[in-house]
Amino acid sequence: RAVFVILLFSQVFSYFGQTLLLTFQAKQEMEKLNFVLITSKIARFVATLIIVFFVVNSFTVGLTFLIESIVVLILSVVFFSRLPLKVPDIVFLKSYTKYALPLMISLPITYFNGNIDKILLNHFWNTKEVGYYFAIFGIIAMAQTFSGAAMNLFFPELVKATKNGFKHVEKITAIMVKYLLLVIVPLVILLVLFSEIIVTKILGNEFLPSAPILSIFSLSIFILLVSRFYGYILYAIEKHAIFPIISLVTTILFLIFFLFLVPRSFLDLPTLGLGAKGAAWASVSSLLLNAIMVLFFVWKYTKIKPHYGVFVNAAVGVVDYLIVMYVVKIFNLNIFNPFTVILLTVGVFANFIIILFLI
């Protein structure tokens, strides 16, 4: 119970602090934003080092998260208190409420989506299968850090670009996506290629069944990058009211995929009984259809089409992966060897860039 309370407070403090930090993101005062985030991570790192030398248990580990969130909240309040503040008028409040309402409607759907997969997986299988499924989420989150940071910088620029017309919006979006994919696609390839090594080194040998789940979820990094960057266009032009509908449809599709792929049996209907792997495929499949819906509505409202580089990078990524796997098989390479890991990592990036250059 004590650990739960600590983590609850850490989440509350963190959310309050992050809310204040959005102001600095909007004002493009990224030095303040980065200072708060980096300082909080350092504080947690120091706290972790201290407990390592004394006592390590769930309570003390929880305290490190609480310390991080407190630092975020305190620094956010300090920076925010220095801004010139005034009481908003009724017109502003109505405008803000109208803009924020779709997000408020989407929020419960988002929380539902974030938890229903684990609940259903536990219902149809067991907690062990949930453990294999959920364990890789932290790894995926780390891999998404790069694109997440780019998105924070991108949105204010996107809002400015809307003043110059949709052609300018299309141009800067295409540039951002194009260059980010040069990093993200090889990263996805490496996560798939070295999934067993990553899982065993970070989570331990007992989580080896999580490796194929990591491989499947790695695809979501590519999908989310495309859907979020183009989805930001709808926010920038204030057409984001469509997102609750997209979220609801995505949830329904996920549940359909889940009930077909995961259970051993369901209402005497034919199911595949894939367990955690099925849940991963259900998530990725629903995210892909979500991205297609986002791209459709972006095109409907702005006539902006996804940059051809999205499809080219995806195709080249598949070719690159097949080439690497062929090399591994032909030369019988041991991918658990550190030298082989370095060699293949360099090879994946180099091969990807060379193929793109040739076409």
Side-chain angles (χ1 to χ4, degrees):
R1 182 180 295 180
V3 175
F4 173 78
V5 171
I6 288 173
L7 293 177
L8 178 63
F9 273 102
S10 70
Q11 287 294 310
V12 172
F13 293 156
S14 180
Y15 282 137
F16 273 112
Q18 294 285 352
T19 301
L20 298 179
L21 288 178
L22 289 174
T23 301
F24 303 108
Q25 180 180 330
K27 290 168 64 66
Q28 291 188 285
E29 297 179 0
M30 303 307 295
E31 68 281 356
K32 295 179 181 178
L33 175 66
N34 291 328
F35 176 80
V36 173
L37 297 179
I38 293 172
T39 304
S40 64
K41 294 296 182 184
I42 292 173
R44 184 185 164 200
F45 176 72
V46 172
T48 303
L49 288 179
I50 292 172
I51 69 167
V52 165
F53 289 103
F54 289 93
V55 57
V56 179
N57 54 43
S58 57
F59 179 79
T60 55
V61 171
L63 283 177
T64 64
F65 288 96
L66 181 61
I67 291 169
E68 179 183 4
S69 63
I70 290 173
V71 171
V72 169
L73 181 60
I74 291 174
L75 292 178
S76 300
V77 170
V78 169
F79 284 127
F80 191 80
S81 63
R82 296 178 180 178
L83 295 173
L85 303 177
K86 62 179 181 179
V87 178
D89 55 36
I90 298 300
V91 175
F92 175 81
L93 283 175
K94 286 182 178 179
S95 174
Y96 188 83
T97 302
K98 182 181 178 181
Y99 184 85
L101 188 59
L103 304 179
M104 296 167 62
I105 297 173
S106 296
L107 193 61
I109 301 175
T110 302
Y111 278 113
F112 177 84
N113 291 345
N115 294 282
I116 192 63
D117 50 352
K118 293 91 174 174
I119 295 171
L120 289 177
L121 185 58
N122 183 55
H123 173 74
F124 288 112
W125 283 76
N126 49 52
T127 53
K128 189 174 182 180
E129 199 74 6
V130 175
Y132 292 143
Y133 176 77
F134 186 65
I136 56 91
F137 277 46
I139 301 172
I140 295 295
M142 285 190 291
Q144 290 176 335
T145 302
F146 180 76
S147 59
M151 289 176 195
N152 291 336
L153 296 170
F154 173 68
F155 186 66
E157 293 296 328
L158 183 61
V159 174
K160 291 180 182 178
T162 58
K163 299 176 183 178
N164 299 319
F166 292 147
K167 285 294 182 183
H168 189 56
V169 171
E170 183 176 18
K171 181 180 178 181
I172 68 166
T173 305
I175 291 172
M176 287 294 294
V177 172
K178 176 183 176 182
Y179 287 105
L180 276 173
L181 288 177
L182 290 176
V183 177
I184 295 301
V185 174
L187 177 62
V188 170
I189 296 172
L190 292 173
L191 284 173
V192 175
L193 184 63
F194 299 125
S195 59
E196 290 187 7
I197 300 175
I198 295 169
V199 166
T200 54
K201 294 296 182 183
I202 296 177
L203 302 174
N205 292 328
E206 63 272 21
F207 281 95
L208 189 58
S210 295
I213 301 168
L214 175 60
S215 296
I216 297 167
F217 263 115
S218 297
L219 303 176
S220 68
I221 300 173
F222 173 85
I223 297 170
L224 285 173
L225 183 143
V226 175
S227 65
R228 286 175 178 173
F229 266 92
Y230 281 94
Y232 271 12
I233 295 175
L234 296 176
Y235 283 106
I237 64 174
E238 298 188 17
K239 293 292 185 181
H240 56 292
I242 195 65
F243 275 111
I245 297 175
I246 293 176
S247 297
L248 184 59
V249 172
T250 302
T251 301
I252 294 171
L253 291 171
F254 167 76
L255 292 174
I256 293 172
F257 291 144
F258 189 98
L259 293 175
F260 173 69
L261 294 169
V262 175
R264 297 183 180 94
S265 62
F266 179 70
L267 300 178
D268 295 326
L269 297 173
T271 57
L272 296 183
L274 298 177
K277 286 184 284 189
W281 278 120
S283 295
V284 171
S285 300
S286 59
L287 284 175
L288 178 60
L289 293 176
N290 176 281
I292 293 172
M293 286 187 284
V294 169
L295 293 174
F296 169 77
F297 283 107
V298 169
W299 173 82
K300 179 182 178 181
Y301 291 124
T302 67
K303 301 306 176 186
I304 294 175
K305 299 178 182 178
H307 189 260
Y308 72 91
V310 171
F311 308 104
V312 172
N313 277 271
V316 172
V318 173
V319 173
D320 190 11
Y321 174 74
L322 293 175
I323 290 173
V324 171
M325 290 303 296
Y326 179 76
V327 170
V328 170
K329 183 177 180 180
I330 289 296
F331 293 98
N332 195 25
L333 298 177
N334 177 16
I335 62 172
F336 285 88
N337 183 290
F339 177 76
T340 305
V341 171
I342 295 172
L343 183 64
L344 289 178
T345 300
V346 174
V348 164
F349 276 94
N351 197 38
F352 182 77
I353 294 172
I354 289 170
I355 297 174
L356 277 179
F357 177 77
L358 291 176
I359 62 175

